[in-house]
Amino acid sequence: MSEWLIIIFSSLGTLFALLAAIGLIRMPDTFLRISVNTKAATLGVGLLIGAADYFF
């Protein structure tokens, strides 16, 4: 059961980190770049930390 949670959390975390990187490149305004980067990257890192918590 915990293996599936690790797979799901790490996959979603990397997906949100990738979306944050893409949003950083594609957004035209500085304030939109800050908004996209903070929201998506925070969620991505939180999910990756959650996966690491289940791993250890």
Side-chain angles (χ1 to χ4, degrees):
M1 175 69 182
S2 65
E3 293 89 11
W4 286 104
L5 288 174
I6 293 170
I7 292 170
I8 290 170
F9 281 2
S10 62
S11 298
L12 286 175
T14 53
L15 177 70
F16 278 107
L18 176 67
L19 289 176
I22 291 171
L24 186 65
I25 294 170
R26 298 211 22 133
M27 290 297 150
D29 189 14
T30 303
F31 295 112
L32 287 174
R33 288 180 185 165
I34 292 170
S35 175
V36 166
N37 197 16
T38 55
K39 289 178 183 177
T42 302
L43 183 60
V45 169
L47 287 170
L48 287 172
I49 289 173
D53 187 35
Y54 275 112
F55 183 71
F56 293 113

